[in-house]
Amino acid sequence: MAGIEANVFESFLEHLTASGDVPEQVTEKLSSALAQEKFPKADEIAEIYREGSGDPVA
Amino acid sequence: MIQLLTIRIDEFRGIRELDLAPDGKSFIVLGPNGSGKSGVVDAIDFALTGNVARLSGEGTGGVSLAKHGPHVHRRDDPAAAKVTLTIRHPATGQTAALTRCVKTPDLFTLDPETAEMVEAVEWAVSHPELTLSRREVIKYVNAEPGKRAQEVQALLKLDRIDETRRLLRSALSKISAELKASRTSVGNAEDAVRRHLDLTELLSEQMCAAVNAHRGTLGLELLEAVSPDTKLAEGVQGAPAGGGYDKASALRDVDALSAYIAEHGGLSAAVEDLTAALGLLEADPTILDALKHRHLVEVGLPLVSEAVCPLCDQPWQDAGDLRAHLEGKLARSEVAASLEERIKKSAGEVVEELQRVRGLIQTAQPHAITVERRGDHAALHDWSSDLSAFEANLGSLETLRNEASRLETDPLQVPAALKNALGELRSAIEALLDQSTADDARTALTIAEERWTQLRQARAAKAKSTAAYATAEAVYRAYNEVADKALTELYETVESKFGDYYRRINADDESAFTAGLSPSAGKLDLEVDFYGLGMFPPMAYHSEGHQDGMGVCLYLALIDQVLGNDFRLAVMDDVVTSVDTNHRRQFCNLLKEVFPEVQFIITTHDEVWARQMQSSGLVDRHSLARFHGWSVDGGPLYGSVGDFWEKIDADLDDDVPGAAHKLRRNLEASMAEIAAGLQARVTYRPDNSHDLSMFFNSVKGRHGDLLKKAASSASSWNNNDAKQQVDALKAERTQAILAQDGENWAINALVHSNDWAAMSKADFEPVVEACKQFTELFSCSNPDCDSWIYVVGMPGSEEALRCSCGTLNINLRRK
């Protein structure tokens, strides 16, 4: 990523961190997944949301 | 960033062998159509990126770099086709020879290979937009908004922003679907608990009363309240054992299922709406057709750039008609899309009802085992599986249509064996011996606990899904906010630069021009001011020439935004063909003033445009390669300005006709430039077909007049130095004209009948010398000065005779 895309990505992560609406773990994993050259699948992103949000289901 | 010092092309496209030396400066490749100019552009494109834009992408079916990159005579030998550029990295000043061969287009060699130069080449590979043709220019202006957004985003390297947006949207949809399913699961689990405890509400007080009734029977501690974590059957394990069975609860389960089978208004209503919507779909085949093609048309419409369908290659008379046809299809499919949405909604409601009945089957099923009616158990199981498969088929329009008949006749399809069996199952349960009260209580608590646990798990899953949805929604919203803000700022900047550049070119008639770029949902609308009468799409009222101008200006605004200080090279292949002469001069000024650090390699077939680039100072006099024609076997017939006397000398030994041809062509071009610089009068020819005969006398006469003016001026100012300088120029002129007069018999042969080609070397050598001497009259004495001498001031009020380096600067004004 370069230029404007990189700026948007960086601002996006800052926005997530500052807002407090998104668990830290989700922000970290999203940061890593979206920075890959090969784009992740939507299922992988959904799994990040599931894993990082709410209490674990017994 | 990168700039080009030399270009060496071997057996590539229409070129056999060619050397050019732009030397890091702006450079013109001039020649008639079909003379091989675009081959130079392709070669630069190939050397820098490993690809040739003209041989890839849409509209290039069957053509490829590997097959059609090499010269046609070397088409089976891609190793012979190669391009070498001597490139300079302006930031470090490093230079290297970059070579790429068609056989291995992805590989390049650099000599010397330094980290900075490797990085510079890799940078160039990722910037194919450095090479631009008219076809590419116009796409920024005339493309449909969706396609424009794609093109602009690709140029601005923004593709990933849109991809990220779509990815996050897709993930949000998945989580949303899960949340919906988890809500249904909770509803089913609550039903099961309510039915078992025979309650209407799951309020803590009611739950306590129902559960404590059983706990009291077993002498267990009574519950004060029921929370999700409450163990309803706590202590039951320690109570007296018994093979208990809660008959009443089981009967309620079976009754609930029977009642649903007998009366399922919710399902019927949802099915009725669904079948009605499906009926509309089936009644009009064009709707279905529109739906099937909708996605295809959505993809295809932005790709229409010529009068050929981008989806099926069907030729059309006009790209506008094709675009209108596809837009019509898309509009018709809007109705279809709305119907599809209704079908999906109704199908979703049917699915919820089916999940509900499967929940009822699931709770009734174990009772069949208890009363040893294994056949009923199997029938219930099979029915549940059938409903599950039916439910799955309602998930997509295609499979859903296959279920139309079932939806219309009997969506539940209760197995025949079950129709009486549920009544028999109920009788069998009823016939069970009554358990002891203690057994009843124990069983009731055990089942209550089991279902309470299931409800707790369903609620936990729902809470998890709700949290995941909140996260997904917050992420998606955040990305949109950030991306929209960045894109809006970006487009505002581009819009402002675009307007500024266009105003510079069209200051005479559109000095108040403004433009508006509006990004929206994957589209990019472009509207431009039309003489203060409103904002319209560029194609609405502006001429083709103005549109060309807009295309280049928008490209420059975009690329300047993307590359910033790294913008040091642009290769433009005949990009301003339709722009008129006056506006092209302004375009030269734009390039020169706004992009002084950029090396422009510009091809054109237009002599006037080439001269404008030189006279404006955008390109110096030696930075021009003139292609006179092209042949399959030889490639471009080529002559550069700087070395044409040497080439003529070389030809004199064994190719007088070749020397004669070069001399005439180059004199025509030089005389035209000199005439323009001296403001000499030449009979106007609308087709610009001025030949040598028109220039010689005109230039000679004007030069003489200017020297007279110079002498008169020097006398009026009593400037002896100037007088001497003018006298020296007059003496040179006399000599040159004498020499020319001496060869007049031969020069006239050239001028009037093009007979030089038939002369011998001995005859022709003095002609060449006389012409050389004559043209030198119009050059500065400084060998490093590139320009012809030119007049400053308007005809009739000439101010000075100058050259661009300042060595010659003669006053023409009298005191």
Side-chain angles (χ1 to χ4, degrees), chain B residues 775-806:
Chain B
T775 57
E776 281 173 358
L777 282 181
F778 310 101
S779 303
C780 163
S781 58
N782 175 3
D784 294 328
C785 180
D786 283 325
S787 76
W788 298 114
I789 58 175
Y790 59 92
V791 170
V792 178
M794 300 299 288
S797 54
E798 293 86 351
E799 295 169 12
L801 187 62
R802 285 186 193 159
C803 70
S804 63
C805 76

Side-chain angles (χ1 to χ4, degrees), chain B residues 251-287:
Chain B
L251 287 172
R252 279 197 295 277
D253 287 341
V254 174
D255 287 346
L257 180 57
S258 298
Y260 190 92
I261 292 170
E263 176 58 48
H264 40 266
L267 176 64
S268 300
V271 166
E272 193 178 333
D273 191 37
L274 179 56
T275 49
L278 278 177
L280 292 176
L281 183 69
E282 299 298 341
D284 185 352
T286 62
I287 294 183

Side-chain angles (χ1 to χ4, degrees), chain B residues 364-407:
Chain B
Q365 222 176 316
H367 305 314
I369 296 292
T370 306
V371 294
E372 294 186 344
R373 290 181 65 88
R374 295 187 183 278
D376 293 349
H377 182 271
L380 284 167
H381 177 268
D382 291 347
W383 185 30
S384 180
S385 302
D386 170 61
L387 290 173
S388 175
F390 179 42
E391 196 181 302
N393 280 346
L394 300 184
S396 82
L397 189 59
E398 204 162 297
T399 50
L400 193 153
R401 289 177 61 232
N402 296 333
E403 299 290 356
S405 157
R406 177 170 179 170
L407 285 165

Side-chain angles (χ1 to χ4, degrees), chain A residues 8-19:
Chain A
V8 166
F9 186 55
E10 199 178 314
S11 302
F12 164 61
L13 295 177
E14 282 170 9
H15 191 101
L16 289 187
T17 308
S19 74

Side-chain angles (χ1 to χ4, degrees), chain B residues 581 606-609 611 626 663-676 680-699 750-751:
Chain B
T581 307
D606 189 330
E607 290 270 0
V608 176
W609 166 227
R611 283 203 298 276
R626 182 183 297 273
L663 180 61
R664 184 183 177 101
R665 286 287 194 175
N666 285 293
L667 279 179
E668 279 175 355
S670 303
M671 287 294 128
E673 289 162 15
I674 294 164
R681 289 185 183 176
V682 178
T683 304
Y684 175 67
R685 296 285 295 268
D687 59 357
N688 197 37
S689 60
H690 306 96
D691 62 25
L692 202 49
S693 63
M694 296 177 174
F695 290 120
F696 261 139
N697 289 334
S698 164
V699 164
L750 167 74
V751 170

